[in-house]
Amino acid sequence: MRNFRELEVWKDSRILVKEIYTITKCLPDSEKYGLVSQMNRCSVSIPANIAEGCSKYSQKDFVRFLQISLGSAFELETHLILCQDLNFLPSEESSSIIKNIQRLQKKIASLIKYNKSNHP
């Protein structure tokens, strides 16, 4: 079993959750059950799936949960782009968070690749 608390991707994703919860407070009240809810849930899904994957004994299961986490990161990026399109967030603020998400996506993808190639 792996210790998720030691993984950089898990630590980084926790920071991202805080950023998303802060930024979603700025969205219109009309989006409380729409984008706000979706963005908060998929941001939380990233570290949660990393942690859950660490509890799995097989490498294949661990990678599957990392892939779910990566999917949530891409979903979150899409939601932020939509917020830009709808002029809900200042472009500079959302662009900064999008860059953080993209860095996290690369780290998760690298961890997936490492675990697939070194631990078949």
Side-chain angles (χ1 to χ4, degrees), residues 60-91:
K60 186 177 179 182
D61 284 340
F62 177 51
V63 167
R64 185 168 55 86
F65 278 90
L66 289 175
Q67 289 168 331
I68 293 167
S69 179
L70 182 59
S72 293
F74 279 100
E75 180 183 351
L76 181 58
E77 180 182 3
T78 298
H79 293 317
L80 279 161
I81 291 168
L82 292 172
C83 285
Q84 286 178 329
D85 293 346
L86 296 166
N87 295 315
F88 288 161
L89 295 171
S91 183

mmCIF file of all heavy atoms in Angstrom, residues 60-91:
data_model
loop_
_atom_site.group_PDB
_atom_site.id
_atom_site.type_symbol
_atom_site.label_atom_id
_atom_site.label_comp_id
_atom_site.label_asym_id
_atom_site.label_seq_id
_atom_site.Cartn_x
_atom_site.Cartn_y
_atom_site.Cartn_z
ATOM 1 N N LYS A 60 -2.509 -1.924 -11.409
ATOM 2 C CA LYS A 60 -3.530 -1.600 -12.406
ATOM 3 C C LYS A 60 -4.643 -0.748 -11.773
ATOM 4 O O LYS A 60 -5.097 0.232 -12.373
ATOM 5 C CB LYS A 60 -4.108 -2.897 -12.975
ATOM 6 C CG LYS A 60 -5.069 -2.709 -14.102
ATOM 7 C CD LYS A 60 -5.522 -4.061 -14.638
ATOM 8 C CE LYS A 60 -6.518 -3.884 -15.759
ATOM 9 N NZ LYS A 60 -7.008 -5.163 -16.265
ATOM 10 N N ASP A 61 -5.073 -1.113 -10.564
ATOM 11 C CA ASP A 61 -6.108 -0.334 -9.877
ATOM 12 C C ASP A 61 -5.604 1.054 -9.499
ATOM 13 O O ASP A 61 -6.329 2.049 -9.625
ATOM 14 C CB ASP A 61 -6.597 -1.061 -8.620
ATOM 15 C CG ASP A 61 -7.528 -2.217 -8.944
ATOM 16 O OD1 ASP A 61 -8.104 -2.239 -10.055
ATOM 17 O OD2 ASP A 61 -7.674 -3.099 -8.075
ATOM 18 N N PHE A 62 -4.369 1.133 -9.031
ATOM 19 C CA PHE A 62 -3.780 2.425 -8.685
ATOM 20 C C PHE A 62 -3.785 3.350 -9.906
ATOM 21 O O PHE A 62 -4.226 4.497 -9.828
ATOM 22 C CB PHE A 62 -2.356 2.228 -8.153
ATOM 23 C CG PHE A 62 -1.622 3.500 -7.824
ATOM 24 C CD1 PHE A 62 -2.187 4.483 -7.023
ATOM 25 C CD2 PHE A 62 -0.338 3.715 -8.298
ATOM 26 C CE1 PHE A 62 -1.500 5.655 -6.710
ATOM 27 C CE2 PHE A 62 0.357 4.875 -7.997
ATOM 28 C CZ PHE A 62 -0.229 5.847 -7.198
ATOM 29 N N VAL A 63 -3.342 2.826 -11.037
ATOM 30 C CA VAL A 63 -3.299 3.615 -12.274
ATOM 31 C C VAL A 63 -4.703 4.040 -12.689
ATOM 32 O O VAL A 63 -4.916 5.177 -13.117
ATOM 33 C CB VAL A 63 -2.588 2.822 -13.403
ATOM 34 C CG1 VAL A 63 -2.808 3.465 -14.766
ATOM 35 C CG2 VAL A 63 -1.093 2.710 -13.107
ATOM 36 N N ARG A 64 -5.678 3.156 -12.529
ATOM 37 C CA ARG A 64 -7.059 3.486 -12.900
ATOM 38 C C ARG A 64 -7.560 4.686 -12.091
ATOM 39 O O ARG A 64 -8.183 5.600 -12.637
ATOM 40 C CB ARG A 64 -7.963 2.273 -12.686
ATOM 41 C CG ARG A 64 -9.388 2.480 -13.152
ATOM 42 C CD ARG A 64 -10.173 1.171 -13.192
ATOM 43 N NE ARG A 64 -10.172 0.458 -11.927
ATOM 44 C CZ ARG A 64 -11.027 0.677 -10.930
ATOM 45 N NH1 ARG A 64 -11.952 1.608 -11.050
ATOM 46 N NH2 ARG A 64 -10.971 -0.023 -9.818
ATOM 47 N N PHE A 65 -7.256 4.725 -10.805
ATOM 48 C CA PHE A 65 -7.689 5.864 -9.982
ATOM 49 C C PHE A 65 -6.913 7.131 -10.329
ATOM 50 O O PHE A 65 -7.476 8.235 -10.259
ATOM 51 C CB PHE A 65 -7.598 5.526 -8.491
ATOM 52 C CG PHE A 65 -8.783 4.753 -8.010
ATOM 53 C CD1 PHE A 65 -8.785 3.370 -8.045
ATOM 54 C CD2 PHE A 65 -9.920 5.401 -7.547
ATOM 55 C CE1 PHE A 65 -9.885 2.643 -7.619
ATOM 56 C CE2 PHE A 65 -11.026 4.689 -7.125
ATOM 57 C CZ PHE A 65 -11.013 3.297 -7.164
ATOM 58 N N LEU A 66 -5.652 6.994 -10.700
ATOM 59 C CA LEU A 66 -4.903 8.163 -11.171
ATOM 60 C C LEU A 66 -5.522 8.699 -12.449
ATOM 61 O O LEU A 66 -5.599 9.920 -12.652
ATOM 62 C CB LEU A 66 -3.430 7.801 -11.410
ATOM 63 C CG LEU A 66 -2.578 7.536 -10.179
ATOM 64 C CD1 LEU A 66 -1.185 7.063 -10.600
ATOM 65 C CD2 LEU A 66 -2.477 8.767 -9.292
ATOM 66 N N GLN A 67 -5.986 7.800 -13.325
ATOM 67 C CA GLN A 67 -6.627 8.227 -14.568
ATOM 68 C C GLN A 67 -7.945 8.951 -14.289
ATOM 69 O O GLN A 67 -8.268 9.937 -14.954
ATOM 70 C CB GLN A 67 -6.852 7.028 -15.493
ATOM 71 C CG GLN A 67 -5.556 6.493 -16.066
ATOM 72 C CD GLN A 67 -5.701 5.144 -16.746
ATOM 73 O OE1 GLN A 67 -6.561 4.333 -16.399
ATOM 74 N NE2 GLN A 67 -4.836 4.886 -17.715
ATOM 75 N N ILE A 68 -8.692 8.494 -13.305
ATOM 76 C CA ILE A 68 -9.924 9.188 -12.921
ATOM 77 C C ILE A 68 -9.586 10.585 -12.405
ATOM 78 O O ILE A 68 -10.248 11.572 -12.748
ATOM 79 C CB ILE A 68 -10.707 8.368 -11.868
ATOM 80 C CG1 ILE A 68 -11.217 7.071 -12.482
ATOM 81 C CG2 ILE A 68 -11.851 9.195 -11.281
ATOM 82 C CD1 ILE A 68 -11.729 6.055 -11.463
ATOM 83 N N SER A 69 -8.538 10.667 -11.602
ATOM 84 C CA SER A 69 -8.083 11.949 -11.069
ATOM 85 C C SER A 69 -7.691 12.894 -12.212
ATOM 86 O O SER A 69 -8.049 14.072 -12.210
ATOM 87 C CB SER A 69 -6.899 11.708 -10.130
ATOM 88 O OG SER A 69 -6.419 12.910 -9.625
ATOM 89 N N LEU A 70 -6.980 12.356 -13.188
ATOM 90 C CA LEU A 70 -6.571 13.151 -14.342
ATOM 91 C C LEU A 70 -7.793 13.633 -15.127
ATOM 92 O O LEU A 70 -7.849 14.790 -15.550
ATOM 93 C CB LEU A 70 -5.640 12.329 -15.242
ATOM 94 C CG LEU A 70 -5.075 13.017 -16.476
ATOM 95 C CD1 LEU A 70 -4.266 14.247 -16.098
ATOM 96 C CD2 LEU A 70 -4.212 12.026 -17.272
ATOM 97 N N GLY A 71 -8.780 12.763 -15.277
ATOM 98 C CA GLY A 71 -10.018 13.159 -15.959
ATOM 99 C C GLY A 71 -10.700 14.312 -15.242
ATOM 100 O O GLY A 71 -11.197 15.247 -15.879
ATOM 101 N N SER A 72 -10.710 14.262 -13.922
ATOM 102 C CA SER A 72 -11.310 15.351 -13.140
ATOM 103 C C SER A 72 -10.537 16.647 -13.342
ATOM 104 O O SER A 72 -11.133 17.732 -13.380
ATOM 105 C CB SER A 72 -11.345 14.986 -11.659
ATOM 106 O OG SER A 72 -12.226 13.909 -11.434
ATOM 107 N N ALA A 73 -9.224 16.558 -13.469
ATOM 108 C CA ALA A 73 -8.402 17.756 -13.702
ATOM 109 C C ALA A 73 -8.729 18.380 -15.062
ATOM 110 O O ALA A 73 -8.815 19.610 -15.183
ATOM 111 C CB ALA A 73 -6.917 17.413 -13.603
ATOM 112 N N PHE A 74 -8.939 17.550 -16.071
ATOM 113 C CA PHE A 74 -9.308 18.069 -17.390
ATOM 114 C C PHE A 74 -10.718 18.663 -17.366
ATOM 115 O O PHE A 74 -10.984 19.687 -17.997
ATOM 116 C CB PHE A 74 -9.192 16.983 -18.464
ATOM 117 C CG PHE A 74 -7.782 16.798 -18.950
ATOM 118 C CD1 PHE A 74 -7.004 15.762 -18.481
ATOM 119 C CD2 PHE A 74 -7.227 17.672 -19.867
ATOM 120 C CE1 PHE A 74 -5.697 15.589 -18.906
ATOM 121 C CE2 PHE A 74 -5.925 17.515 -20.313
ATOM 122 C CZ PHE A 74 -5.151 16.471 -19.833
ATOM 123 N N GLU A 75 -11.619 18.025 -16.629
ATOM 124 C CA GLU A 75 -12.971 18.562 -16.483
ATOM 125 C C GLU A 75 -12.920 19.929 -15.803
ATOM 126 O O GLU A 75 -13.585 20.876 -16.239
ATOM 127 C CB GLU A 75 -13.814 17.595 -15.651
ATOM 128 C CG GLU A 75 -15.239 18.060 -15.438
ATOM 129 C CD GLU A 75 -16.046 17.135 -14.545
ATOM 130 O OE1 GLU A 75 -15.582 16.031 -14.205
ATOM 131 O OE2 GLU A 75 -17.160 17.547 -14.164
ATOM 132 N N LEU A 76 -12.125 20.045 -14.759
ATOM 133 C CA LEU A 76 -11.993 21.308 -14.036
ATOM 134 C C LEU A 76 -11.441 22.405 -14.940
ATOM 135 O O LEU A 76 -11.920 23.543 -14.925
ATOM 136 C CB LEU A 76 -11.104 21.118 -12.808
ATOM 137 C CG LEU A 76 -10.886 22.330 -11.930
ATOM 138 C CD1 LEU A 76 -12.208 22.890 -11.414
ATOM 139 C CD2 LEU A 76 -9.965 21.964 -10.766
ATOM 140 N N GLU A 77 -10.444 22.062 -15.743
ATOM 141 C CA GLU A 77 -9.884 23.043 -16.681
ATOM 142 C C GLU A 77 -10.971 23.541 -17.642
ATOM 143 O O GLU A 77 -11.080 24.745 -17.915
ATOM 144 C CB GLU A 77 -8.724 22.434 -17.471
ATOM 145 C CG GLU A 77 -8.103 23.399 -18.445
ATOM 146 C CD GLU A 77 -6.973 22.816 -19.276
ATOM 147 O OE1 GLU A 77 -6.674 21.607 -19.147
ATOM 148 O OE2 GLU A 77 -6.392 23.578 -20.075
ATOM 149 N N THR A 78 -11.801 22.622 -18.115
ATOM 150 C CA THR A 78 -12.887 22.990 -19.030
ATOM 151 C C THR A 78 -13.867 23.939 -18.353
ATOM 152 O O THR A 78 -14.296 24.943 -18.948
ATOM 153 C CB THR A 78 -13.622 21.730 -19.522
ATOM 154 O OG1 THR A 78 -12.688 20.915 -20.238
ATOM 155 C CG2 THR A 78 -14.795 22.078 -20.431
ATOM 156 N N HIS A 79 -14.211 23.664 -17.105
ATOM 157 C CA HIS A 79 -15.127 24.544 -16.380
ATOM 158 C C HIS A 79 -14.548 25.957 -16.251
ATOM 159 O O HIS A 79 -15.273 26.946 -16.386
ATOM 160 C CB HIS A 79 -15.447 23.999 -14.990
ATOM 161 C CG HIS A 79 -16.248 22.734 -15.007
ATOM 162 N ND1 HIS A 79 -17.319 22.518 -15.845
ATOM 163 C CD2 HIS A 79 -16.135 21.604 -14.277
ATOM 164 C CE1 HIS A 79 -17.832 21.333 -15.621
ATOM 165 N NE2 HIS A 79 -17.121 20.751 -14.675
ATOM 166 N N LEU A 80 -13.255 26.046 -15.989
ATOM 167 C CA LEU A 80 -12.630 27.369 -15.878
ATOM 168 C C LEU A 80 -12.620 28.101 -17.216
ATOM 169 O O LEU A 80 -12.834 29.317 -17.265
ATOM 170 C CB LEU A 80 -11.212 27.242 -15.320
ATOM 171 C CG LEU A 80 -11.179 27.099 -13.806
ATOM 172 C CD1 LEU A 80 -9.864 26.528 -13.336
ATOM 173 C CD2 LEU A 80 -11.429 28.442 -13.139
ATOM 174 N N ILE A 81 -12.394 27.370 -18.287
ATOM 175 C CA ILE A 81 -12.431 27.982 -19.624
ATOM 176 C C ILE A 81 -13.843 28.500 -19.909
ATOM 177 O O ILE A 81 -14.020 29.600 -20.445
ATOM 178 C CB ILE A 81 -11.965 26.976 -20.699
ATOM 179 C CG1 ILE A 81 -10.466 26.697 -20.532
ATOM 180 C CG2 ILE A 81 -12.272 27.486 -22.106
ATOM 181 C CD1 ILE A 81 -9.943 25.513 -21.327
ATOM 182 N N LEU A 82 -14.844 27.717 -19.510
ATOM 183 C CA LEU A 82 -16.235 28.164 -19.686
ATOM 184 C C LEU A 82 -16.523 29.416 -18.867
ATOM 185 O O LEU A 82 -17.235 30.318 -19.328
ATOM 186 C CB LEU A 82 -17.205 27.039 -19.309
ATOM 187 C CG LEU A 82 -17.205 25.827 -20.236
ATOM 188 C CD1 LEU A 82 -18.053 24.701 -19.655
ATOM 189 C CD2 LEU A 82 -17.685 26.207 -21.624
ATOM 190 N N CYS A 83 -15.966 29.482 -17.670
ATOM 191 C CA CYS A 83 -16.127 30.694 -16.845
ATOM 192 C C CYS A 83 -15.522 31.902 -17.539
ATOM 193 O O CYS A 83 -16.082 33.010 -17.474
ATOM 194 C CB CYS A 83 -15.481 30.495 -15.471
ATOM 195 S SG CYS A 83 -16.438 29.452 -14.374
ATOM 196 N N GLN A 84 -14.389 31.700 -18.222
ATOM 197 C CA GLN A 84 -13.790 32.789 -19.000
ATOM 198 C C GLN A 84 -14.717 33.180 -20.149
ATOM 199 O O GLN A 84 -14.977 34.359 -20.370
ATOM 200 C CB GLN A 84 -12.434 32.369 -19.575
ATOM 201 C CG GLN A 84 -11.314 32.311 -18.580
ATOM 202 C CD GLN A 84 -10.013 31.843 -19.212
ATOM 203 O OE1 GLN A 84 -10.003 31.060 -20.169
ATOM 204 N NE2 GLN A 84 -8.907 32.304 -18.667
ATOM 205 N N ASP A 85 -15.210 32.160 -20.869
ATOM 206 C CA ASP A 85 -16.097 32.419 -22.008
ATOM 207 C C ASP A 85 -17.340 33.199 -21.594
ATOM 208 O O ASP A 85 -17.844 34.034 -22.350
ATOM 209 C CB ASP A 85 -16.551 31.105 -22.654
ATOM 210 C CG ASP A 85 -15.418 30.336 -23.324
ATOM 211 O OD1 ASP A 85 -14.329 30.916 -23.530
ATOM 212 O OD2 ASP A 85 -15.633 29.143 -23.631
ATOM 213 N N LEU A 86 -17.846 32.911 -20.402
ATOM 214 C CA LEU A 86 -19.067 33.552 -19.904
ATOM 215 C C LEU A 86 -18.790 34.847 -19.141
ATOM 216 O O LEU A 86 -19.708 35.456 -18.592
ATOM 217 C CB LEU A 86 -19.820 32.567 -19.000
ATOM 218 C CG LEU A 86 -20.325 31.305 -19.701
ATOM 219 C CD1 LEU A 86 -20.732 30.244 -18.685
ATOM 220 C CD2 LEU A 86 -21.481 31.644 -20.632
ATOM 221 N N ASN A 87 -17.517 35.246 -19.085
ATOM 222 C CA ASN A 87 -17.089 36.458 -18.386
ATOM 223 C C ASN A 87 -17.465 36.439 -16.898
ATOM 224 O O ASN A 87 -17.787 37.476 -16.314
ATOM 225 C CB ASN A 87 -17.647 37.719 -19.057
ATOM 226 C CG ASN A 87 -17.099 37.898 -20.447
ATOM 227 O OD1 ASN A 87 -15.903 37.747 -20.679
ATOM 228 N ND2 ASN A 87 -17.971 38.188 -21.393
ATOM 229 N N PHE A 88 -17.397 35.253 -16.290
ATOM 230 C CA PHE A 88 -17.668 35.120 -14.862
ATOM 231 C C PHE A 88 -16.435 35.420 -14.024
ATOM 232 O O PHE A 88 -16.548 35.764 -12.857
ATOM 233 C CB PHE A 88 -18.149 33.709 -14.521
ATOM 234 C CG PHE A 88 -19.548 33.390 -14.975
ATOM 235 C CD1 PHE A 88 -19.964 32.079 -15.080
ATOM 236 C CD2 PHE A 88 -20.466 34.392 -15.288
ATOM 237 C CE1 PHE A 88 -21.252 31.765 -15.470
ATOM 238 C CE2 PHE A 88 -21.754 34.087 -15.690
ATOM 239 C CZ PHE A 88 -22.149 32.766 -15.783
ATOM 240 N N LEU A 89 -15.260 35.237 -14.619
ATOM 241 C CA LEU A 89 -14.000 35.433 -13.892
ATOM 242 C C LEU A 89 -13.059 36.293 -14.708
ATOM 243 O O LEU A 89 -13.032 36.187 -15.947
ATOM 244 C CB LEU A 89 -13.317 34.085 -13.635
ATOM 245 C CG LEU A 89 -14.030 33.096 -12.722
ATOM 246 C CD1 LEU A 89 -13.335 31.755 -12.756
ATOM 247 C CD2 LEU A 89 -14.070 33.633 -11.298
ATOM 248 N N PRO A 90 -12.244 37.101 -14.034
ATOM 249 C CA PRO A 90 -11.216 37.858 -14.760
ATOM 250 C C PRO A 90 -10.241 36.882 -15.429
ATOM 251 O O PRO A 90 -9.844 35.879 -14.832
ATOM 252 C CB PRO A 90 -10.509 38.658 -13.670
ATOM 253 C CG PRO A 90 -11.393 38.608 -12.469
ATOM 254 C CD PRO A 90 -12.234 37.377 -12.603
ATOM 255 N N SER A 91 -9.898 37.170 -16.639
ATOM 256 C CA SER A 91 -9.049 36.279 -17.428
ATOM 257 C C SER A 91 -7.723 35.984 -16.746
ATOM 258 O O SER A 91 -7.254 34.844 -16.736
ATOM 259 C CB SER A 91 -8.804 36.891 -18.807
ATOM 260 O OG SER A 91 -8.045 36.019 -19.597
#
